[in-house]
Amino acid sequence: MPKLKTHRGAAKRFKKTGGGKIVRGHSFARHILTKKTRKRKRALDQDTLISAADQRRVERMIPYL
């Protein structure tokens, strides 16, 4: 089998944890921040796990990360 290519866009957006789970950042945290509460902005700054529905697709895009 030939080597698989990593999807470079996905590689910049996702990372794997030590246990093999995939983590992503939140959207809506770059601009128009004045109307968002402090609590909301803090929550958007924390990474979260990807949904189970996207798991297989993202794993295929980042086979070696």
Side-chain angles (χ1 to χ4, degrees), residues 6-60:
T6 297
H7 188 290
R8 296 314 297 164
K12 294 167 189 176
R13 286 171 173 81
F14 304 107
K15 60 187 177 204
K16 281 189 181 169
T17 63
K21 295 175 185 170
I22 299 175
V23 178
R24 67 169 176 85
H26 283 98
S27 54
F28 303 108
R30 292 283 178 261
H31 63 122
I32 314 175
L33 297 172
T34 51
K35 63 174 78 170
K36 296 171 188 163
T37 64
R38 273 188 220 136
K39 179 180 176 181
R40 183 173 166 196
K41 287 185 277 194
R42 262 197 321 272
L44 290 173
D45 195 38
Q46 296 172 350
D47 291 345
T48 185
L49 296 174
I50 62 169
S51 71
D54 294 325
Q55 186 82 25
R56 244 178 97 222
R57 184 174 14 173
V58 175
E59 280 173 353
R60 277 197 221 137

